[in-house]
Amino acid sequence: MTSAPLPTAAGPRPQLTVHRLGMAHPGDLSELAALFDAGAVAADEVVAVIGKTEGNGGVNDFTRGYFTQSLMQLLAQRTGRPAEAIWRELPCVLSGGTEGVLSPHYVVFSRRLLPAGETHAAGIGPEGAHYTPPATGTDAKAQASADTGAPTRANGAAPGALAIGTAFSAPTPAQDIGRWRQVRAVAQAVRAAMDQAGIDRPEDVAFVQLKCPCVTSARAQAAAAAGHAVLTADPGRSMAFARAAGAFGAAIALGELPDDPALEGALLQDFDRFSARASVSCGVEVEANEVIVLGHSARWQGPLRMGCAPMRDALDIAAVGQALRPLGLQAAPQLPAAQAARVAAVFVKCEPDRRGQVRGARHTMLDDTDINAQRHIRGAVGGLVAGVLGDGRIFVSGGAEHQGPDGGGLVAVIAHVG
């Protein structure tokens, strides 16, 4: 499961493969098992998973733990390694809540070393078939550049192929959640993931996905018994502080914020400070800060690239186009089927505007006692992005504190270029 060191001389080079798979229920890993059986992916090549389950997305959303347990059991069966050992080294970032047209699914990232210029099918298209980028005419030239991992900006794509790195912080004590110690732990883990991926410059990072622990009643009581004070014993509030700390940690590693402990007071206060490339989830099912870094590196090969754009508010449909454009994709107003087949995965972060308005019009998401505000915003923004892409298999996560502009968020897309 852990990634081997990147090659330092001519020879085999890593290639990232991304598979977007459906699930019939939160414990359904049958599509991944089928990939293993077919030899399309080996279990020990899997390095990270990001998914959407059909829970409520709150503190007591146990669909995330159910999926994680099922995944670790499957990987343990196929690798012969203990499930707990895999759980401690393979990030599994899950967001509950598939409101509206959002479809439960999970994205599997795998890493394989291949001879330079030799590529492996890099993903699964919407109909379940492997997508192979065209290799004729000028596309063949662009594809050859992409397959060797040589720097290229074909169709405006970033130089180098898509790369992945992962890292875990040490387990985070309840008393550290939402404090600068957590911020620094996340920053250190993001840097470690960048180093593992062979991404030398922060500007080459396209997207950072984190999963952070929160304070439960039991964890708060255990901390108090040990003589420690938690920032808040309210589980929901602790999730917000954990996400904020995760965003600040990523921002420090990416050069978007300075490492200044005085900024601890800005958490959940100064929303002009944010990371434009970080998405942070939080849950009871993790003990440490789990980090997945995706970016571009000339040390990698393959046809995948990634675009990311901030959303200024919940109606910012132009941001979706901005994320698609560097990948050679254009929605007018929806992606054509041929272009949609090139999309390997989509990640969205969103937040109900705390000022109670969207472009001057009042919204009621924050005042609805029947439906949680985060469920409102996931359904709304999920529908907007799904309409552009023509696909409901989108990772949409609420709770975007300091992740993109206040009241907005971000959208990131992985696609085949050619």
Side-chain angles (χ1 to χ4, degrees), residues 11 16 45 70 84 86 88 96 100 134 140 158 160 193 197 204 218 224 278 287 296 334 379 388 407 409:
L16 176 63
E45 294 174 340
S70 301
E84 184 173 352
I86 299 173
R88 294 189 180 281
D204 291 331
E287 298 176 349
H296 299 94
Q334 190 175 83
V388 175

Side-chain angles (χ1 to χ4, degrees), residues 3 36 54 92 137 208-209 214 308 319 356 362 370 376 384:
S3 296
F36 291 159
E54 57 209 79
C92 180
V208 179
Q209 178 66 60
C214 66
C308 183
R362 186 172 74 94
D370 294 316
H376 271 294
L384 180 145

Side-chain angles (χ1 to χ4, degrees), residues 127-218:
E127 303 303 323
H130 284 286
Y131 170 80
T132 302
T136 59
T138 57
D139 286 338
K141 183 177 180 180
Q143 184 63 47
S145 179
D147 288 344
T148 60
T152 179
R153 287 194 179 273
N155 293 328
L162 189 61
I164 189 171
T166 64
F168 283 65
S169 73
T172 304
Q175 64 270 19
D176 285 1
I177 291 176
R179 294 196 163 110
W180 207 252
R181 287 186 294 273
Q182 183 184 16
V183 171
R184 280 183 167 160
V186 169
Q188 182 178 4
V190 172
R191 294 188 187 104
M194 289 173 58
D195 184 64
Q196 185 195 80
I199 300 173
D200 299 321
R201 305 184 307 167
E203 55 264 41
D204 291 331
V205 173
F207 182 70
V208 179
Q209 178 66 60
L210 298 106
K211 185 79 175 189
C212 298
C214 66
V215 177
T216 62
S217 297

Side-chain angles (χ1 to χ4, degrees), residues 133 172 317 346:
T172 304
I317 197 169
V346 183

Side-chain angles (χ1 to χ4, degrees), residues 382-394:
L384 180 145
V385 178
V388 175
L389 301 176
D391 196 327
R393 296 172 303 162
I394 303 168

Side-chain angles (χ1 to χ4, degrees), residues 14-101:
Q15 179 180 325
L16 176 63
T17 301
V18 176
H19 290 92
R20 183 167 50 172
L21 308 174
M23 62 176 87
H25 55 77
D28 177 24
L29 276 297
S30 59
E31 292 194 16
L32 179 58
L35 288 179
F36 291 159
D37 292 340
V41 179
D44 60 3
E45 294 174 340
V46 176
V47 294
V49 174
I50 302 175
K52 281 296 293 183
T53 58
E54 57 209 79
N56 60 29
V59 176
N60 66 335
D61 183 349
F62 300 110
T63 63
R64 300 178 306 227
Y66 180 24
F67 178 91
T68 302
Q69 182 183 55
S70 301
L71 173 66
M72 300 308 160
Q73 288 177 346
L74 174 63
L75 293 175
Q77 292 169 1
R78 298 304 180 103
T79 63
R81 300 184 60 218
E84 184 173 352
I86 299 173
W87 175 69
R88 294 189 180 281
E89 66 183 38
L90 188 145
C92 180
V93 179
L94 302 170
S95 171
T98 50
E99 295 80 9
V101 298

Side-chain angles (χ1 to χ4, degrees), residues 337-353:
Q339 292 190 28
R342 291 170 48 197
V343 175
V346 183
F347 309 98
V348 178
K349 199 69 183 176
C350 55
E351 176 79 7
D353 196 306

